[in-house]
Amino acid sequence: MSILVDETTKVLVQGITGSFGARHAQLSIDYGTQIVAGVTPAKGGQTFDHAGKKVPIYDTVSAAARESGATVSVIFVPPAYAGDAILEAVDAGLELVVCITEGIPVMDMMRVRAIMEGCKTRLVGPNCPGIVTPGRGEKSFGGCRIGISPGYIHKRGNVGVVSRSGTLTYEAVWQLTQAGYGQSTCVGIGGDPINGTSHIDVLKMFNDDPETEAIIMIGEIGGSAEEAAAEFVKQYVKKPVVGFIAGQTAPPGRRMGHAGAIISGGQGTAADKMKAMTAAGIHVVVSPAEIGAALARVIGKG
Amino acid sequence: MNIHEYQAKELFDRFGVPSPKGKAASTPKEAYDAAKWLDVTNLVVKAQVHAGGRGKGVFKSGFKGGVQLVDSPEAARDVAAQMLGEVLVTKQTGEAGRLVRKVIVTESVNIEREIYLAILMDRESRRPVIIASTEGGMDIEEVAAKTPEKIIRESVNPLAGLQAYQVRKLCEALGFNTTARQFGRLLHALYKLFIECDCSMVEINPVVVTTDDHVYALDAKFNFDDNALFRHPEILAMRDPEEEDPREVMASEYGLNYIGLDGNIACLVNGAGLAMATMDIIKYYGGEPANFLDVGGGATKEQVVAAFKIILGDPVVKGILVNIFGGIMDCDVIANGIVEATREVGLNLPLVVRLEGNNVEAGRLTLAGSQVALVTATTMADAAQKIVAAVK
């Protein structure tokens, strides 16, 4: 088991002919992920060829989903059109939409989320590295890689990872893999102020997933999602959780790269989040280099 | 992105948010003409800088007050001459102060009462929220801390927009009666502006009711969503790079995210989360980060050169930590970029490079064989300890 996706998941790529989307569609195919369709308006009927595979391209998401049986979409569409791309995937009835695009206007995401109210589709991201359920092959190949994470840093195992960041997540995953701890699924929920899936949503899935034995939760300054997640952990999560918050040294009032990473009006500091998480029984590390070691300690093998 | 008061007034005029009549001026003559055009004897001249506390500010020339009441075009011209081209120091500018390039000349109004009004994007509810208070003109965070009952919040459904009943509720709570229609019009106009200009916050402190029953927005603070500026060239054109940290201006030209801090260990990292975490680990090992610098997920040679130049422009920097997790990118390409960049900028400070990821062995060999005086590190902890030791 894993959460959200596994090696049988059929994935379509919105924006498969753009350079960024194409590159990562290739890497996912190499990883063993079932990329079954692509969508690029006005390029329907063409194919996306890689490693002996011919992935059919469609004009619309609904046609792509209907013809290919894809249940998941990954979006590499530029920011100005990404909101529309998300809603198109929702309209097509997909189970899961993973939006990688960085730089979507907040107003667009506000409308998208308001329209998605009550829909069955789950959105992960935007501005996220995506989702990886590692495979059982060499360097974790044979798994499901949706997005832009480097596949080879993973290893199949029992640690669930949820994070707002990209490269910091790779760092944490790499520490785990180096220490011999594989991952059930790694979910990047994204660095934007308005996103689809929260820390809590993912924690809940990891808590219910029999394969996941421990959880790494990586947050950062801004908002209060980590505080809410801490409260959830305190009440419901039975598995050990190791946490880290990036931005302990960030000045107030400045946006630290991610659109959502800002301390405003004294709210959203790392100190507050770490305090709430510690109070909830989460093993909070101060140094980002200690994430793997702390996980080893809490599950008693290190 | 911030804008000047006179630019905020332009936006107010465009959307029909009432504010006192006025004009911006770059020369004393223009200030004179503006006052003449206003044709009143109750005038105010305000220095235009991106900083609060202007009224109590002092110019380096010794002239006191960045906000002056005057009664004639001649007096407006003389006051403008004292402000333009001079450096104004306020509690928010720091000792360096800000050069005044423009003033705004407006009609001054007789204030009966002051209201606080703001609209902001609330990330938790994912909706625009109107925040208002009868305690206008005060520090709103202080009001919220001491008398939270005096803060009114009204959340707006983004698909439906601001409803008439919500405006009536706010008018009642804020004690508007004869001027309720005027305030309602202001609020509708401000909401439209907030949405159409992709604001993340607009704050008017205060909205005033004048003794002759007019409602005006007297001062305004805007925050725009940087992600949406691509569809607002007219707002982007309001950007004043003279008011920004020159290093941040240069960084943005190269697609880098740079924020200057007070420490002496500079860092250069790919990815915002890892960049913050790198600052944190410098602190963890007893050092102080000099900056936040995210070169993006990739990190090309051109970006690394620009990043080094920006870092070296800070005289306080005593050492540099480069931390790159090259997930997809070839670490050897990154290593070559770093080596070339150090040569190009003639780096002579301690440099620790931690490289991890795809083809890292080749990258580390390139660094080791480069003849550039740098120290390699394998883990983040190793890297942070080495650079902290090097600057001590």
Side-chain angles (χ1 to χ4, degrees):
Chain A
M1 284 284 286
S2 54
I3 67 165
L4 294 165
V5 295
D6 62 26
E7 59 277 10
T8 67
T9 302
K10 290 183 176 171
V11 182
L12 68 83
V13 180
Q14 288 175 254
I16 197 167
T17 53
S19 62
F20 192 47
R23 169 94 174 107
H24 286 285
Q26 288 170 354
L27 289 167
S28 287
I29 290 169
D30 294 341
Y31 195 66
T33 307
Q34 298 201 38
I35 302 292
V36 296
V39 176
T40 297
K43 292 197 178 171
Q46 301 180 15
T47 58
F48 177 81
D49 302 342
H50 178 66
K53 287 203 167 65
K54 284 188 179 299
V55 179
I57 298 174
Y58 300 87
D59 286 328
T60 64
V61 176
S62 54
R66 186 175 62 235
E67 300 299 323
S68 69
T71 56
V72 174
S73 167
V74 57
I75 296 177
F76 292 97
V77 170
Y81 314 104
D84 179 66
I86 294 170
L87 291 174
E88 186 183 1
V90 171
D91 174 70
L94 296 178
E95 288 169 16
L96 174 67
V97 177
V98 182
C99 184
I100 306 303
T101 309
E102 176 175 5
I104 304 177
V106 179
M107 290 286 176
D108 293 7
M109 281 312 301
M110 174 184 80
R111 289 190 195 96
V112 164
R113 282 302 313 268
I115 293 167
M116 283 182 71
E117 207 76 41
C119 290
K120 65 163 190 150
T121 305
R122 168 174 296 287
L123 171 67
V124 169
N127 189 13
C128 77
I131 305 173
V132 176
T133 290
R136 298 175 197 282
E138 193 191 340
K139 289 185 173 175
S140 83
F141 280 56
C144 184
R145 170 190 182 272
I146 295 176
I148 58 174
S149 295
Y152 68 91
I153 63 170
H154 296 83
K155 171 184 159 78
R156 181 72 178 210
N158 308 100
V159 181
V161 179
V162 55
S163 170
R164 272 167 75 181
S165 165
T167 46
L168 178 58
T169 313
Y170 312 159
E171 169 71 34
V173 168
W174 185 239
Q175 286 179 27
L176 292 174
T177 298
Q178 294 287 91
Y181 295 95
Q183 304 89 41
S184 51
T185 302
C186 302
V187 186
I189 60 173
D192 274 5
I194 296 182
N195 60 5
T197 293
S198 68
H199 275 114
I200 293 182
D201 298 328
V202 182
L203 287 168
K204 186 171 188 306
M205 288 182 260
F206 280 140
N207 199 40
D208 295 340
D209 171 37
E211 192 180 343
T212 303
E213 292 172 5
I215 301 165
I216 303 280
M217 171 181 152
I218 298 172
E220 60 191 35
I221 54 161
S224 59
E226 289 85 356
E227 285 90 330
E231 193 51 41
F232 179 83
V233 168
K234 193 172 171 180
Q235 290 200 29
Y236 301 107
V237 178
K238 304 288 171 239
K239 301 172 182 180
V241 182
V242 170
F244 174 75
I245 299 292
Q248 296 162 41
T249 48
R254 303 303 308 270
R255 212 166 282 283
M256 307 299 281
H258 287 154
I262 181 167
I263 299 167
S264 47
Q267 307 278 305
T269 65
D272 285 352
K273 291 171 189 292
M274 290 162 75
K275 199 173 146 197
M277 288 161 68
T278 305
I282 296 173
H283 304 268
V284 177
V285 294
V286 180
S287 162
E290 294 293 317
I291 297 169
L295 190 281
R297 268 199 307 281
V298 303
I299 62 177
K301 292 176 193 169
Chain B
M1 196 192 101
N2 291 318
I3 59 173
H4 287 292
E5 183 188 2
Y6 76 92
Q7 296 166 322
K9 188 171 160 44
E10 285 170 24
L11 284 177
F12 281 166
D13 290 348
R14 194 174 121 204
F15 283 86
V17 176
S19 64
K21 220 173 146 187
K23 256 187 188 169
S26 309
T27 63
K29 170 75 166 62
E30 284 178 20
Y32 175 89
D33 292 344
K36 197 95 183 157
W37 168 75
L38 284 166
D39 195 24
V40 290
T41 52
N42 48 322
L43 294 159
V44 55
V45 180
K46 297 195 244 182
Q48 298 293 288
V49 291
H50 285 183
R54 289 173 300 171
K56 289 183 179 151
V58 178
F59 289 87
K60 285 200 168 163
S61 62
F63 185 69
K64 286 189 178 129
V67 177
Q68 299 279 341
L69 292 168
V70 293
D71 59 6
S72 69
E74 290 76 17
R77 179 192 60 208
D78 295 345
V79 162
Q82 300 269 18
M83 294 181 178
L84 289 163
E86 300 294 334
V87 174
L88 178 63
V89 179
T90 81
K91 59 177 183 179
Q92 288 186 9
T93 60
E95 279 178 28
R98 295 280 172 80
L99 181 62
V100 178
R101 290 183 173 79
K102 271 193 165 71
V103 297
I104 186 168
V105 183
T106 65
E107 191 178 343
S108 76
V109 294
N110 292 315
I111 298 168
E112 169 115 357
R113 66 189 193 103
E114 299 179 300
I115 303 291
Y116 174 90
L117 178 66
I119 307 178
L120 53 88
M121 180 63 76
D122 178 52
R123 57 199 283 175
E124 313 309 332
S125 65
R126 302 185 296 266
R127 288 174 167 217
V129 174
I130 297 166
I131 308 221
S133 175
T134 52
E135 308 300 293
M138 319 268 288
D139 178 347
I140 200 65
E141 276 161 25
E142 216 175 293
V143 175
K146 286 186 183 151
T147 48
E149 72 281 1
K150 289 188 171 161
I151 303 278
I152 305 157
R153 292 171 66 93
E154 187 69 29
S155 170
V156 182
N157 181 322
L159 301 181
L162 180 63
Q163 301 297 301
Y165 79 86
Q166 297 184 295
V167 177
R168 291 198 297 274
K169 260 172 80 183
L170 283 162
C171 280
E172 183 184 53
L174 293 168
F176 281 99
N177 37 53
T178 52
T179 48
R181 290 176 76 93
Q182 283 190 59
F183 180 71
R185 276 199 296 274
L186 182 151
L187 192 50
H188 277 294
L190 189 68
Y191 183 80
K192 190 168 190 293
L193 190 168
F194 175 84
I195 296 291
E196 290 188 12
C197 292
D198 278 289
C199 299
S200 45
M201 187 197 71
V202 49
E203 179 186 62
I204 306 177
N205 194 15
V207 171
V208 297
V209 181
T210 64
T211 48
D212 56 351
D213 271 356
H214 283 95
V215 176
Y216 289 123
L218 259 210
D219 199 3
K221 191 177 164 194
F222 279 85
N223 278 330
F224 297 98
D225 174 11
D226 290 346
N227 284 354
L229 288 174
F230 71 86
R231 60 189 177 200
H232 299 290
E234 79 291 0
I235 292 170
L236 195 54
M238 291 180 173
R239 184 174 173 191
D240 184 353
E242 302 287 352
E243 291 280 340
E244 296 174 21
D245 183 333
R247 294 169 300 178
E248 290 176 22
V249 174
M250 178 177 171
S252 69
E253 283 165 13
Y254 285 90
L256 308 169
N257 263 308
Y258 173 91
I259 292 171
L261 302 169
D262 297 331
N264 60 6
I265 299 178
C267 44
L268 189 168
V269 189
N270 66 331
L274 193 61
M276 280 189 274
T278 304
M279 287 161 42
D280 295 346
I281 201 167
I282 288 170
K283 177 91 175 173
Y284 181 78
Y285 285 110
E288 289 289 340
N291 64 275
F292 166 90
L293 202 167
D294 167 19
V295 295
T300 62
K301 185 204 144 196
E302 290 68 30
Q303 283 182 314
V304 176
V305 169
F308 274 136
K309 283 182 179 165
I310 292 162
I311 285 170
L312 294 173
D314 183 348
V316 181
V317 169
K318 294 284 175 282
I320 302 172
L321 171 54
V322 173
N323 183 19
I324 303 284
F325 200 107
I328 303 296
M329 279 195 69
D330 186 332
C331 284
D332 196 30
V333 173
I334 298 171
N336 277 302
I338 292 168
V339 169
E340 283 178 49
T342 47
R343 287 205 181 111
E344 196 170 322
V345 299
L347 190 70
N348 54 6
L349 291 176
L351 169 67
V352 174
V353 179
R354 185 268 179 146
L355 209 52
E356 187 57 86
N358 187 16
N359 201 19
V360 70
E361 295 78 11
R364 288 189 186 142
L365 277 177
T366 299
L367 291 177
S370 68
Q371 318 276 312
V372 171
L374 57 79
V375 175
T376 55
T378 50
T379 66
M380 275 180 84
D382 182 30
Q385 285 167 297
K386 280 176 174 162
I387 193 65
V388 169
V391 301
K392 280 235 160 104

